Amino acid sequence: MSNELYADGIGEITITGTIVRIDLMSLSATDRDANNNPKPVFRQRIIMPVDAFANAVDLMQKALGGLVEAGAVRRIGDMSAAATDIQQAGASNASPNFN
C-alpha cells in the first residue's frame, strides 16, 4: 500500500530558478484563530522542476474542466454571472412587497 497525504489546500508556491516548491496545508484540529476557525498548518512540501510543474498545472486544468462539465464544481466567474442573471430576471418581475 502506498502512503497518502491529505491536504486542505496549498499555502504557498515558491519558484526559485528552475525549482518550484508547493506547500501543502491542513486545518489544525487544535489551533484556532480570533474567529475560532481552525488555523491552516503546514503539512508537507512538494518540490519539482518548472517543466513538471507546468505539466501538473495542465493536468489539473483538464481535471477541473471535467469536474465543471460534470456539474461537480462551478467556476467563480460562472457563479457571479448566474447571480447577475437571476437578479436581472427578478428585477423585471419583482413584487413591491420584496423591495
Side-chain angles (χ1 to χ4, degrees), residues 12-22 45 47-50:
E12 186 174 353
I13 298 175
T14 306
I15 302 170
T16 307
T18 61
I19 301 297
V20 177
R21 291 173 176 81
I22 304 168
R45 179 174 289 140
I47 302 170
M48 63 177 65
V50 170

Side-chain angles (χ1 to χ4, degrees), residues 77-92:
D78 295 344
M79 291 185 346
S80 62
T84 301
D85 291 345
I86 291 169
Q87 288 173 349
Q88 289 174 348
S92 62

Side-chain angles (χ1 to χ4, degrees), residues 6-87:
Y6 175 82
D8 287 307
I10 295 173
E12 186 174 353
I13 298 175
T14 306
I15 302 170
T16 307
T18 61
I19 301 297
V20 177
R21 291 173 176 81
I22 304 168
D23 291 346
L24 301 178
M25 309 299 278
S26 292
L27 297 177
S28 174
T30 56
D31 294 337
R32 302 286 176 157
D33 65 12
N35 295 326
N36 203 31
N37 295 318
K39 286 184 179 180
V41 178
F42 172 82
R43 294 293 179 206
Q44 199 158 8
R45 179 174 289 140
I46 299 171
I47 302 170
M48 63 177 65
V50 170
D51 57 336
F53 175 74
N55 289 336
V57 169
D58 184 50
L59 183 61
M60 286 187 236
Q61 286 288 348
K62 289 177 183 174
L64 176 60
L67 290 170
V68 169
E69 188 175 309
V73 296
R74 291 188 197 154
R75 295 180 190 263
I76 292 173
D78 295 344
M79 291 185 346
S80 62
T84 301
D85 291 345
I86 291 169
Q87 288 173 349

